[in-house]
Amino acid sequence: MQAVRQDPLLGSSETFNSFLRRAQQETQQVPTEEVSLEVLLSNGQKVLVNVLTSDQTEDVLEAVAAKLDLPDDLIGYFSLFLVREKEDGAFSFVRKLQEFELPYVSVTSLRSQEYKIVLRKSYWDSAYDDDVMENRVGLNLLYAQTVSDIERGWILVTKEQHRQLKSLQEKVSKKEFLRLAQTLRHYGYLRFDACVADFPEKDCPVVVSAGNSELSLQLRLPGQQLREGSFRVTRMRCWRVTSSVPLPSGGTSSPGPGRGRGEVRLELAFEYLMSKDRLQWVTITSPQAIMMSICLQSMVDELMVKKSGGSIRKMLRRRVAGTLRRSDSQQAVKSPPLLESPDASRESIVKLSSKLSAVSLRGIGSPSTDASASDVHGNFAFEGIGDEDL
């Protein structure tokens, strides 16, 4: 048997993450020192933690958990996200902060007050809510996030459901509030900015949401009310993210004056099992395509862990060089205000059939094949699909 040589740098993920951490710090020329970092909760509440500029995402997450008095065994149920705060106060999600990242460096290097770090739950299956709701702080975090998502219109609520939710709010029945919210469409979903897809036709304006093992596309066809199509991750054979720079008028590839970085176009394309013997490519063009891909991957990972009988409870690593810094003063999660009356202009959404047969599919072509095979994310959850799933 031929021996396989392993690069010592890549032999340990901890060593590799340490290398990436140093590279990020040195690139931005940030000295190691103690600083105050602001982390937001989903409802906009600010949590100020003292960290080092060289602290990785896990360090900062632990510091926030300590400040809120969230138990160690629940830290893995939450993650830090880099977001851009829009003029109306809503968050546009840029990406989930990776383990090797230095959150302080990541947010300050953007040199804009629009960018923030937000704490949000990091799992998709609402069955895991039970673990978090056992703890007072975990319950408050889920409750505050859910109220915020309803106010933003991320969770779809009828007038009667809204009345029931508000009644539970007035009674301060947080667990009952969450139990009802779990039954609502798009509970626990992450919503993206309006973008464009080639489903069900080319250049179709859509709003994409990720959650419950699916990508949901809300769209409006000419002369019709708002509709929704759902793409289950178990029926996606593979997907990939590509970037391109549109050619200027005239067809030359020269960048030319005035071409900015903002003109780079990102696309998420996935191959979907539309029916038993028909695979079709669907392409979404969005600046948040990378974040969408990360959501798909995390949903697949969660499905595989659940299928194998595992748990998402995270065994946090303890570094030999230091110990967890506990804050002397803990911060409570503030209760959000009562839900406002539902927006009358918010339209009801007609659900398309599970096979998307309510909308004709046309103009959906296979994406360019010049990308290497390594750019394609295979989906192991797809392999277990049976006839009953179609």
Side-chain angles (χ1 to χ4, degrees):
M1 180 180 295
Q2 185 179 2
V4 178
R5 181 181 179 274
Q6 186 177 32
D7 190 326
L9 180 61
L10 300 178
S12 165
S13 59
E14 182 65 30
T15 302
F16 187 54
N17 286 346
S18 177
F19 168 77
L20 294 172
R21 181 179 71 245
R22 290 197 307 271
Q24 184 184 14
Q25 190 174 8
E26 291 172 2
T27 300
Q28 299 298 329
Q29 298 181 340
V30 177
T32 299
E33 58 185 355
E34 187 168 323
V35 293
S36 293
L37 180 64
E38 183 180 273
V39 176
L40 301 181
L41 304 185
S42 296
N43 60 357
Q45 181 181 340
K46 298 177 181 179
V47 180
L48 200 62
V49 292
N50 295 323
V51 298
L52 298 176
T53 55
S54 58
D55 277 347
Q56 293 179 239
T57 300
E58 185 176 299
D59 298 313
V60 176
L61 185 58
E62 288 179 352
V64 174
K67 192 68 174 285
L68 296 174
D69 201 23
L70 182 70
D72 288 351
D73 64 344
L74 292 183
I75 295 177
Y77 289 80
F78 295 87
S79 291
L80 299 176
F81 294 85
L82 180 66
V83 303
R84 182 175 59 83
E85 189 173 20
K86 297 187 287 188
E87 291 183 359
D88 60 359
F91 295 144
S92 175
F93 283 76
V94 179
R95 69 174 185 275
K96 178 180 176 180
L97 293 179
Q98 301 301 301
E99 288 187 7
F100 63 82
E101 278 194 78
L102 313 182
Y104 177 82
V105 176
S106 293
V107 71
T108 56
S109 64
L110 294 170
R111 295 178 173 81
S112 173
Q113 296 298 319
E114 293 180 341
Y115 292 94
K116 314 283 185 181
I117 295 176
V118 168
L119 177 76
R120 187 178 174 87
K121 74 175 187 178
S122 60
Y123 57 90
W124 304 100
D125 191 337
S126 60
Y128 293 121
D129 284 350
D130 291 342
D131 297 339
V132 180
M133 290 165 60
E134 291 175 0
N135 174 263
R136 174 185 54 82
V137 178
L139 172 64
N140 288 338
L141 287 172
L142 284 185
Y143 176 71
Q145 177 178 311
T146 303
V147 172
S148 177
D149 288 355
I150 292 174
E151 289 285 15
R152 293 173 182 167
W154 287 18
I155 298 176
L156 309 182
V157 183
T158 65
K159 289 184 178 180
E160 175 58 24
Q161 290 167 340
H162 190 280
R163 185 193 64 76
Q164 294 175 14
L165 289 168
K166 190 169 183 178
S167 174
L168 291 171
Q169 248 192 326
E170 292 171 344
K171 297 175 183 177
V172 198
S173 302
K174 296 181 181 179
K175 282 190 178 182
E176 290 75 12
F177 181 97
L178 288 172
R179 294 297 184 201
L180 177 56
Q182 287 173 343
T183 67
L184 304 179
R185 183 72 181 142
H186 288 191
Y187 169 78
Y189 282 49
L190 196 65
R191 184 165 178 167
F192 300 95
D193 299 339
C195 57
V196 174
D198 63 1
F199 164 83
E201 56 190 26
K202 188 176 180 181
D203 298 329
C204 183
V206 297
V207 174
V208 180
S209 299
N212 193 29
S213 302
E214 69 179 16
L215 280 187
S216 164
L217 269 65
Q218 296 176 14
L219 59 138
R220 186 193 305 279
L221 297 177
Q224 298 187 30
Q225 65 186 119
L226 206 59
R227 291 181 175 267
E228 179 184 13
S230 300
F231 296 88
R232 304 294 297 176
V233 297
T234 51
R235 297 174 66 177
M236 296 179 186
R237 192 177 73 87
C238 60
W239 69 85
R240 69 183 178 206
V241 175
T242 56
S243 62
S244 61
V245 179
L247 293 175
S249 56
T252 63
S253 58
S254 172
R259 179 171 296 284
R261 293 177 58 188
E263 294 186 40
V264 174
R265 185 172 69 177
L266 288 175
E267 292 183 344
L268 169 70
F270 55 88
E271 193 175 20
Y272 194 75
L273 188 65
M274 295 291 182
S275 59
K276 189 172 182 179
D277 300 312
R278 185 165 68 95
L279 285 163
Q280 194 93 30
W281 280 97
V282 176
T283 301
I284 300 170
T285 303
S286 167
Q288 295 172 295
I290 295 175
M291 182 66 189
M292 292 179 190
S293 176
I294 292 173
C295 289
L296 287 178
Q297 186 62 59
S298 63
M299 284 190 280
V300 170
D301 291 344
E302 188 172 298
L303 283 173
M304 300 305 291
V305 168
K306 192 171 184 179
K307 184 179 179 181
S308 65
S311 169
I312 65 169
R313 286 187 183 274
K314 187 177 181 182
M315 298 301 294
L316 294 176
R317 296 186 302 273
R318 294 289 180 238
R319 295 181 177 84
V320 179
T323 58
L324 180 63
R325 294 186 296 276
R326 287 282 176 183
S327 174
D328 293 333
S329 59
Q330 294 163 351
Q331 180 171 341
V333 182
K334 297 177 182 177
S335 293
L338 293 178
L339 290 169
E340 297 178 359
S341 299
D343 187 353
S345 64
R346 195 172 291 158
E347 300 181 60
S348 60
I349 299 174
V350 176
K351 187 78 167 67
L352 302 183
S353 70
S354 59
K355 294 184 180 180
L356 310 174
S357 58
V359 179
S360 61
L361 294 170
R362 66 178 187 272
I364 303 178
S366 175
S368 59
T369 57
D370 56 351
S372 65
S374 62
D375 296 326
V376 178
H377 297 266
N379 183 2
F380 291 106
F382 177 84
E383 297 175 1
I385 191 170
D387 290 345
E388 66 277 5
D389 299 311
L390 300 177

